[in-house]
């Protein structure tokens, strides 16, 4: 519990998360999604997930997390280039955004 409180406090102050090129896949994306869904990323403005191994399953988890009310209200940039995301993942993200996920989002990159 001590570390959990410290993590939540520090994570809650974070404005930029850069996981570019770490080799993450769907499992790591799902773990990050759990953290975002918990509501501790209130100040997060930029999330860089470029050059990873995230597929549709991982993006669906992130889309679900972003769709939870208040999960990332200040997120302005989401960078997803150079992953393995398929149409299903992109459709899930599009649906979440259409429903109001990440209301401050201004930049979304994916290829």
């Amino acid at each position: 519990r001590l570390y959990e409180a410290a993590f939540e406090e520090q994570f809650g102050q974070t404005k930029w998360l850069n996981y570019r090129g770490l080799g993450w896949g769907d499992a790591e994306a799902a773990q990050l999604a759990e953290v975002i869904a918990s509501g501790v990323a209130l100040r997060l403005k930029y999330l860089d997930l470029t050059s990873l191994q995230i597929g549709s399953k991982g993006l669906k988890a992130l889309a679900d997390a972003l769709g939870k009310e208040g999960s990332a209200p200040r997120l302005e940039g989401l960078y997803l280039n150079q992953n393995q995301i398929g149409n299903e993942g992109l459709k899930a993200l599009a649906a979440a955004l259409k429903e109001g996920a990440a209301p401050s989002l201004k930049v979304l990159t994916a290829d």
Side-chain angles (χ1 to χ4, degrees), residues 11 31-41 44 47 62 65-66 70-72:
F11 199 88
Q31 289 175 343
L32 177 62
E34 284 183 37
V35 174
I36 290 172
S38 75
V40 299
L44 182 63
L47 179 56
L62 286 167
L66 292 172
S71 64

Side-chain angles (χ1 to χ4, degrees), residues 7 11 17 19 22-41 44 47 49 52 54 57-66 68:
F7 171 80
F11 199 88
L17 289 175
Y19 297 114
L22 291 180
W24 283 14
D26 289 336
E28 293 83 3
Q31 289 175 343
L32 177 62
E34 284 183 37
V35 174
I36 290 172
S38 75
V40 299
L44 182 63
L47 179 56
L49 300 174
L52 300 174
I54 297 172
K57 186 176 179 181
L59 187 54
K60 284 181 186 178
L62 286 167
D64 288 345
L66 292 172
K68 297 211 185 265

Side-chain angles (χ1 to χ4, degrees), residues 10 21 42 45 103:
Q10 291 303 309
L42 296 177
K45 286 189 169 192

Side-chain angles (χ1 to χ4, degrees), residues 66-68 71-76 78 93 96-97 99-106:
L66 292 172
K68 297 211 185 265
S71 64
R74 296 181 183 172
L75 185 66
E76 294 180 14
L78 178 57
L93 180 59
L97 294 174
E99 294 296 319
S104 299
L105 191 67
K106 297 175 183 168

